[in-house]
Amino acid sequence: MAVNFSYIPIIDISPLLAKSDDPKMAQDPGVLDVVAQLDKACTQAGFFYVKGHGIPDTLLKGVRDITRRFFELPYEEKAKIKMTPANGFRGYEKIGENITEGRPDMHEAIDCYREVTKGMYGDLGKVMEGYNHWPQNPPKFKVLMEEYISLCKDLASKIMRGIALALGGSPYEFEGDRAGDPFWVMRIIGYPCVSTVNDIGCGAHTDYGLLTLLNQDDDINALQVKNLSGEWISAPPVPGSLVCNIGDMLKIYSNGLYESTLHRVINNSSKYRVSVVYFYETNFDTAVEPLDTYKTRTNGDKRFERAVYGEHLVKKVLTNFVE
Ligand SMILES: N=C(N)NCCCC[C@H](N)C(=O)O
Ligand SMILES: O=C(O)CCC(=O)C(=O)O
Ligand SMILES: [Fe+2]
């Protein structure tokens, strides 16, 4: 359960990455040290920064730069890849189109999802059927983002091995039927500066899946995370790092010991802010319930009913654009 944390810890995960393909990783002192830090961060805050993640800083910056250039384009250009229900809610949405807590968010975004082909998940997947339409402009947008997505997927799967150990399981707890064929979401977001307190870049929400990797602008403090006593704690940029946080499915797997912490974005700076957010999820059609290996740490009781990730996502997507 989230406690009254007052800052978000920074974890150097390089010892975990070095051994994440080693079947004996659970015996490695460097790995165990990272695992202990992950357990503490996931229990106390549900949020942590990762450094030593291996994604080159030039790529982190490159995806933010190309994002900024896209949002600088005129509306007609951006609207060429307009989000519609017909392509599974993928594409560009203008400022105010996304609704959180009943209020329009002061952000624009490109929403991307892993491709869902016709009939792939039967009725469950119908709403999400479609593929990403990438902008032609700026050039190379698609190549750069796809490269980034592939590195994020790899990184998140390795962090999940550490989290599986932290939960007292085998490193491979989140592979196979659970998240061996992980669904993913990416949001490419731009936040204009807002001057009034009523204007919120993105209202308070939790993320839906397993683990979020957030690449935020280096010089703007806008992300806030809620602690147990209801205070909003800043998650200021830590250059070169990624912000990681727990999603709703990992909260269920951990029987509530790891929190999918509420967070929001308010850009009170004088600059336009961008972030590129990758969401690593379970298999689309998997039924998620508290892990047996872990129930002992929560007195053996099961606090959550099973949830199907795809149903959770569809319910969110269908309500994110209606006031
Ligand atoms: N895929 C994820 N996690 N997207 C997060 C978006 C949060 C805002 C959304 N309107 C909401 O209320 O959930
Ligand atoms: O832009 C950010 O810093 C956070 C965005 C976010 O929380 C989300 O898209 O789920
Ligand atoms: Fe979020």
Side-chain angles (χ1 to χ4, degrees):
M1 187 44 87
V3 299
N4 288 329
F5 60 90
S6 54
Y7 68 95
I8 313 249
I10 302 178
I11 304 179
D12 178 354
I13 57 163
S14 48
L16 169 66
L17 298 190
K19 299 281 174 178
S20 58
D21 289 327
D22 179 347
K24 294 208 196 79
M25 66 184 287
Q27 276 107 61
D28 182 85
V31 170
L32 291 176
D33 180 47
V34 174
V35 165
Q37 293 179 62
L38 287 170
D39 190 49
K40 186 165 177 222
C42 294
T43 312
Q44 300 194 336
F47 261 81
F48 50 94
Y49 296 90
V50 292
K51 60 176 194 177
H53 50 64
I55 300 185
D57 208 36
T58 47
L59 182 59
L60 293 179
K61 194 163 176 314
V63 302
R64 295 197 308 269
D65 284 346
I66 206 164
T67 294
R68 206 179 324 274
R69 280 162 50 216
F70 173 79
F71 288 126
E72 279 165 5
L73 296 169
Y75 174 76
E76 304 75 68
E77 185 65 28
K78 296 186 276 194
K80 286 182 180 164
I81 55 156
K82 207 169 165 18
M83 181 204 72
T84 73
N87 51 20
F89 291 87
R90 291 164 181 77
Y92 173 74
E93 68 211 40
K94 62 180 188 299
I95 292 171
E97 215 171 321
N98 206 307
I99 310 287
T100 305
E101 297 188 295
R103 287 215 305 245
D105 288 326
M106 290 302 109
H107 73 249
E108 53 188 326
I110 304 175
D111 283 351
C112 315
Y113 298 90
R114 194 182 149 170
E115 180 170 340
V116 178
T117 54
K118 240 180 164 17
M120 194 169 169
Y121 302 112
D123 282 349
L124 177 66
K126 258 205 159 32
V127 168
M128 300 313 300
E129 284 174 4
Y131 57 90
N132 297 310
H133 297 263
W134 297 100
Q136 295 297 311
N137 199 359
K140 308 248 171 70
F141 195 95
K142 173 180 168 163
V143 200
L144 196 67
M145 290 301 174
E146 285 184 340
E147 181 192 354
Y148 185 62
I149 288 165
S150 134
L151 292 182
C152 284
K153 177 180 173 186
D154 193 49
L155 173 60
S157 72
K158 290 176 174 164
I159 299 174
M160 286 309 298
R161 289 192 174 173
I163 289 180
L165 288 172
L167 286 172
S170 98
Y172 315 114
E173 220 62 61
F174 297 105
E175 282 153 50
D177 289 346
R178 292 192 182 119
D181 183 26
F183 196 69
W184 59 263
V185 181
M186 192 159 80
R187 305 199 67 221
I188 299 165
I189 317 175
Y191 301 88
C193 20
V194 298
S195 44
T196 61
V197 276
N198 288 330
D199 281 349
I200 293 186
C202 184
H205 67 278
T206 60
D207 293 342
Y208 316 151
L210 286 177
L211 189 71
T212 305
L213 302 179
L214 165 81
N215 173 8
Q216 63 171 334
D217 258 341
D218 264 354
D219 52 351
I220 301 173
N221 189 354
L223 175 62
Q224 302 175 350
V225 180
K226 202 177 199 176
N227 74 9
L228 188 62
S229 48
E231 294 163 322
W232 288 104
I233 305 300
S234 269
V238 173
S241 77
L242 291 161
V243 180
C244 267
N245 64 282
I246 305 298
D248 299 334
M249 295 303 117
L250 188 48
K251 178 181 181 142
I252 298 178
Y253 276 132
S254 71
N255 207 17
L257 226 89
Y258 293 176
E259 194 65 42
S260 56
T261 313
L262 278 169
H263 52 285
R264 69 179 183 187
V265 178
I266 302 178
N267 180 18
N268 276 325
S269 81
S270 55
K271 284 190 242 171
Y272 188 93
R273 173 183 186 263
V274 302
S275 64
V276 180
V277 196
Y278 175 85
F279 303 92
Y280 184 81
E281 318 288 69
T282 64
N283 293 4
F284 190 82
D285 54 357
T286 208
V288 176
E289 57 186 332
L291 296 177
D292 281 335
T293 48
Y294 204 52
K295 273 185 261 166
T296 46
R297 243 176 95 182
T298 47
N299 304 326
D301 58 334
K302 200 175 121 202
R303 299 185 187 145
F304 295 91
E305 290 310 310
R306 60 185 5 223
V308 176
Y309 167 74
E311 276 174 20
H312 186 55
L313 176 68
V314 165
K315 203 161 79 197
K316 293 281 189 178
V317 167
L318 290 177
T319 51
N320 273 345
F321 303 98
V322 283
E323 253 175 287

